[in-house]
Amino acid sequence: MLGEEMNSFIKVWLAVFTSLCYCHAMGKMVPKGPKRLIFLLPIVCLFLYLPLNLYSPHLGGLTAFFIAWLGNFKLLLFAFDKGPLNTRISLPLFMALACLPIKIQQDPIKENPSSKSQGKSKEGTVNYVIKGLLLAIILWSYNFIEYIHPNIIKLLYALHIYFFLEIFLAIGAAMVRSFYGVELEPQFNEPFLSASLQDFWGKRWNLMVASIMRPTVYEPTLRFSSAVIGRKWAPVPSVLSTFVVSGVMHELVFYYLRRVSPTGEVSWFFIFHGICLTLEIGLKKALSGKCRLPWIVTGPLTVGFVLGTGVWLFIPQFTRSKLDVRAFEEYAEIGALLKSSCEKVLNHIFYHL
């Protein structure tokens, strides 16, 4: 099973890399605008189709997120010469930026870079080691899952998703950084320290998604809304439309994972957060900073609200179609494969001693 999935995974990503070579070459020959968009649309459709060839919760889910959502949105921006992609960068870097959730840092710190980068690197390493240990503890706790309350299990799943995503994306970013020598923006910024929903969604959680949704959904809607209802209230439909699109794209990713019709709960999770964020922004403007609560109050409320609504609407999508069971089966297969490989290596060493 795992071997067949890996073969499909390799074929899918060979198709992705070949398609991106075409996009890079085509971008040099076709001017930006509707004409370039027409040439890119077949690739957009292909990127929507490719994840259907994968069934692994990990390989399929990440591939769908990388190419069907972020990759396609980047290509749509590239059609009009916007976003992170352009033909001035090398083909390998173009491919990395297109199919991975990374973004080159535009204004890296220049003053005394060696000492600051070393300190930041050490701090980041310790941070990821701690999160890796916490993820290992969560995985170990699943051995006693029959003794754990269902709501606690959902909370563990939420933490599992966060730690897995942050560690996996950090490893990918580190590889790209070492290969291309570019400084990349972080994907997460300690979301558990968020002081508000605006802080959580805009500055701390999955920043690559925020940076792509802003030029593709928020800003066009803001310009249109400003012309229709005025600049003062234009952010309201802009924020709501961004969260609606995010909900739809999450539903699409879950469809790739589950192969069943969406229930709409994931969309409602994001719509609900969009409404709450809009109310929060309006309340902040009304108060004009006159009544600012300390983080010790707003922080736990924000994180508790995100986790609570996530356990209510988001996490059940993993358990309802037994995605969690499939993920555990993958962990077991990988563990057995690693154990078998280690035994072969040890037997080979002892045989030659």
Side-chain angles (χ1 to χ4, degrees):
M1 178 67 180
L2 186 60
E4 294 178 2
E5 188 73 3
M6 284 302 300
N7 288 334
S8 299
F9 179 75
I10 292 172
K11 291 177 182 178
V12 165
W13 279 92
L14 284 175
V16 171
F17 294 145
T18 304
S19 301
L20 292 175
C21 289
Y22 159 80
C23 294
H24 187 265
M26 182 273 301
K28 294 183 177 180
M29 297 182 289
V30 180
K32 65 179 180 180
K35 188 175 181 180
R36 184 186 289 182
L37 177 62
I38 292 173
F39 280 88
L40 287 173
L41 284 179
I43 305 301
V44 172
C45 294
L46 178 64
F47 281 8
L48 289 172
Y49 165 75
L50 287 175
L52 293 173
N53 294 281
L54 300 172
Y55 295 91
S56 161
H58 296 91
L59 299 179
L62 290 172
T63 298
F65 173 54
F66 287 178
I67 64 172
W69 183 356
L70 294 184
N72 272 343
F73 276 43
K74 291 176 185 178
L75 289 179
L76 293 175
L77 289 173
F78 175 62
F80 300 94
D81 212 17
K82 297 180 179 179
L85 302 179
N86 61 74
T87 56
R88 297 182 296 276
I89 59 179
S90 65
L91 174 60
L93 184 56
F94 180 93
M95 295 168 67
L97 290 174
C99 64
L100 295 176
I102 57 175
K103 182 181 179 182
I104 296 177
Q105 188 171 327
Q106 299 298 322
D107 299 310
I109 299 174
K110 297 180 180 180
E111 63 277 4
N112 198 10
S114 59
S115 62
K116 290 197 175 186
S117 62
Q118 289 174 3
K120 189 175 181 180
S121 176
K122 291 179 181 178
E123 180 183 345
T125 301
V126 173
N127 187 19
Y128 289 121
V129 167
I130 293 173
K131 290 174 180 175
L133 291 174
L134 291 174
L135 178 59
I137 293 172
I138 291 173
L139 294 175
W140 172 78
S141 69
Y142 293 152
N143 293 317
F144 313 97
I145 201 166
E146 64 270 19
Y147 305 110
I148 304 175
H149 192 279
N151 288 333
I152 300 299
I153 294 173
K154 292 177 182 178
L155 179 61
L156 290 175
Y157 285 172
L159 296 174
H160 179 170
I161 293 169
Y162 162 56
F163 289 134
F164 173 78
L165 280 176
E166 179 159 9
I167 293 170
F168 181 86
L169 296 180
I171 292 172
M175 294 174 62
V176 172
R177 188 183 298 113
S178 62
F179 283 136
Y180 300 108
V182 293
E183 189 61 34
L184 302 175
E185 294 186 359
Q187 301 304 306
F188 292 88
N189 182 23
E190 311 301 356
F192 51 86
L193 296 178
S194 300
S196 64
L197 288 178
Q198 189 176 16
D199 186 32
F200 179 86
W201 290 113
K203 299 178 181 179
R204 294 186 179 275
W205 178 262
N206 211 343
L207 301 178
M208 184 70 248
V209 171
S211 67
I212 289 298
M213 297 295 285
R214 191 173 295 112
T216 54
V217 181
Y218 179 82
E219 292 175 358
T221 308
L222 183 66
R223 289 193 294 269
F224 176 80
S225 302
S226 298
V228 175
I229 61 177
R231 179 70 183 179
K232 181 178 180 180
W233 297 104
V236 174
S238 303
V239 170
L240 288 177
S241 62
T242 302
F243 276 84
V244 169
V245 172
S246 180
V248 170
M249 296 311 298
H250 277 85
E251 293 278 13
L252 177 63
V253 172
F254 272 108
Y255 175 76
Y256 288 126
L257 290 171
R258 301 164 60 211
R259 301 294 202 276
V260 296
S261 300
T263 62
E265 287 176 295
V266 174
S267 293
W268 278 113
F269 169 80
F270 286 96
I271 292 172
F272 183 51
H273 273 257
I275 294 172
C276 292
L277 177 55
T278 303
L279 293 175
E280 179 185 276
I281 294 173
L283 184 61
K284 286 181 179 178
K285 288 183 177 181
L287 295 176
S288 300
K290 296 177 182 178
C291 182
R292 181 171 296 179
L293 297 174
W295 177 87
I296 194 66
V297 176
T298 61
L301 286 176
T302 300
V303 175
F305 179 78
V306 173
L307 286 175
T309 52
V311 167
W312 170 35
L313 293 171
F314 193 88
I315 299 301
Q317 305 306 310
F318 291 90
T319 58
R320 186 172 293 121
S321 55
K322 299 190 181 301
L323 278 174
D324 53 340
V325 175
R326 288 164 54 194
F328 295 154
E329 291 173 350
E330 281 191 10
Y331 290 140
E333 286 189 62
I334 294 172
L337 181 62
L338 291 175
K339 181 180 179 181
S340 176
S341 300
C342 290
E343 288 177 351
K344 289 181 180 179
V345 171
L346 291 174
N347 290 334
H348 181 77
I349 293 174
F350 289 134
Y351 178 79
H352 289 86
L353 285 178

